[in-house]
Amino acid sequence: MEPIRVIDSHSEGEPTRVVVSGGPTLRGESVAEKAADFRNRFDDFRRTVVCEPRGHDALVGALLVEPDDPSSETGVIFFNNVGTLHMCVHGTIGVMVTLAHMGRIARGSYTLDTPVGSVLAHLGENGLVSVENVPSFRQQTDVVLEVEGVGPVRGDVAWGGNWFFLVEDHGFELATTDIELLRERAVRIRWALEAGAIHGVHRDSETGEETYHVIDHVEFFDAPTRSDCDSKNFVLCPGGEYDRSPCGTGLSAKLACLAADGQLGNGQPWVQESIIGSRFTGRYREVEERPEVIIPTITGGAWITGNNELHLDPDDPFINGIVRS
Ligand code: PYC
């Protein structure tokens, strides 16, 4: 069987594995349609690439596909230990650094098409990558949940390329020593959101049709530990792992909330510290004709960690990864 060539990196601590060759040929005109085909027909491939024994639960995969627009650099589908992601900013930073490592791009700006829209990524002279993300917005404010084993929790629902429930006032300590506890509480909040039928809702601007989405990321915020940051977060990802980086789509959701509350002005920086002490800097710009959204730009670094061929032995009982029920 053909090996799958991958290049690994981490963006501020959060790993990305870009599939460079050996990926499936997907059906569909758009990246969104290709992502649906990937979900429907290639779940084995997803697990093979990111799950144990070749990967691990924190790993995010990136499959490069034909873009929607031929002038874009590439299309990209992000996936993790349980499925596909709508979008991923740390992954986009990882893809940019990987493309540069491969000699495919130089310093400069490139459009990448994702299932939820195009993003503009800039690889700077300093090696940092800035990602102008998809339009982001807050959908619900002050949602109160009764969470089993935790008590009442108040938070906001926001879209930043993925759906987030953002909690400020929780009384938890955001420390690496408490990660298991934080994870358990965040998972319980996810269950409470599902039990309460609280969803993210996308409304088609032309047809008015609404689609409902699981809120599969939970974020806790607190005062920063580092003096050069504005806030610290803990982010639960859909597959139960926590984000080692400050989570770029999560920071986009946070910026949408800060903008809606009048706590951060157009173009002002917000430095977000992650649970492990790494940083992303976020800014937003307003869109005159769409006051309900902001356009966030997230800046951070990524570093190459490996260049590998994944071998698929037909006799390997875990050829397609370890399936957990
Ligand atoms: O950086 O957007 C992000 C992200 C999403 C899930 C993990 N990282």
Side-chain angles (χ1 to χ4, degrees):
M1 288 179 116
E2 262 215 33
I4 302 166
R5 266 208 61 218
V6 297
I7 296 182
D8 290 352
S9 60
H10 76 83
S11 309
E12 307 295 345
E14 181 74 350
T16 306
R17 172 166 284 175
V18 180
V19 177
V20 176
S21 68
T25 304
L26 300 175
R27 295 181 194 141
E29 290 298 310
S30 63
V31 176
E33 286 171 6
K34 290 186 180 89
D37 190 43
F38 182 70
R39 268 193 300 279
N40 293 336
R41 295 197 301 132
F42 295 102
D43 212 46
D44 282 355
F45 179 87
R46 174 188 64 74
R47 273 188 280 104
T48 303
V49 172
V50 292
C51 292
E52 293 178 25
R54 294 173 193 78
H56 55 87
D57 279 346
L59 186 58
V60 169
L63 183 65
L64 305 180
V65 297
E66 282 294 306
D68 291 344
D69 185 327
S71 69
S72 298
E73 176 58 29
T74 186
V76 58
I77 298 166
F78 294 108
F79 53 99
N80 67 5
N81 56 342
V82 290
T84 56
L85 288 160
H86 299 286
M87 164 55 196
C88 182
V89 170
H90 99 261
T92 304
I93 295 172
V95 166
M96 287 292 286
V97 165
T98 298
L99 294 177
H101 176 76
M102 294 168 73
R104 211 176 119 170
I105 61 166
R107 310 269 190 231
S109 297
Y110 301 87
T111 301
L112 281 68
D113 296 339
T114 81
V116 290
S118 296
V119 300
L120 183 66
H122 180 82
L123 177 62
E125 288 304 324
N126 54 6
L128 295 180
V129 177
S130 294
V131 181
E132 188 178 271
N133 194 13
V134 295
S136 302
F137 57 92
R138 176 163 71 184
Q139 183 151 82
Q140 285 192 66
T141 316
D142 286 336
V143 177
V144 179
L145 303 169
E146 191 51 48
V147 183
E148 204 186 323
V150 178
V153 173
R154 182 188 302 270
D156 291 357
V157 175
W159 165 258
N162 288 301
W163 284 103
F164 289 85
F165 190 68
L166 300 94
V167 183
E168 296 282 341
D169 196 10
H170 42 70
F172 313 148
E173 200 192 339
L174 300 194
T176 45
T177 45
D178 281 1
I179 279 174
E180 282 315 312
L181 204 56
L182 293 166
R183 195 149 64 161
E184 189 197 319
R185 288 165 175 160
V187 166
R188 285 177 182 273
I189 290 173
R190 260 204 68 176
W191 290 342
L193 287 164
E194 280 174 39
I198 296 162
H199 296 115
V201 184
H202 276 303
R203 197 166 293 109
D204 187 296
S205 54
E206 273 154 35
T207 63
E209 195 192 332
E210 290 185 338
T211 46
Y212 289 77
H213 300 270
V214 175
I215 301 167
D216 52 10
H217 293 73
V218 175
E219 283 192 85
F220 301 141
F221 293 91
D222 205 350
T225 310
R226 292 174 57 149
S227 58
D228 55 357
C229 293
D230 293 295
S231 153
K232 181 174 186 174
N233 70 6
F234 169 89
V235 183
L236 177 80
C237 295
E241 262 305 324
Y242 71 95
D243 198 329
R244 277 69 170 161
S245 82
C247 190
T249 49
L251 176 51
S252 301
K254 169 74 175 173
L255 294 175
C257 295
L258 289 167
D261 287 334
Q263 289 178 2
L264 188 74
N266 200 8
Q268 282 181 346
W270 179 269
V271 186
Q272 188 66 55
E273 179 182 357
S274 74
I275 186 73
I276 65 161
S278 58
R279 306 185 320 165
F280 280 160
T281 301
R283 291 182 167 77
Y284 71 87
R285 66 177 171 84
E286 290 163 342
V287 190
E288 213 180 317
E289 55 287 6
R290 290 187 70 192
E292 75 284 7
V293 302
I294 57 152
I295 307 290
T297 295
I298 311 298
T299 303
W303 296 268
I304 299 293
T305 55
N307 197 330
N308 197 5
E309 270 187 3
L310 307 181
H311 284 263
L312 309 184
D313 181 340
D315 293 332
D316 179 349
F318 299 112
I319 184 169
N320 292 130
I322 296 172
V323 183
R324 291 187 315 191
S325 49

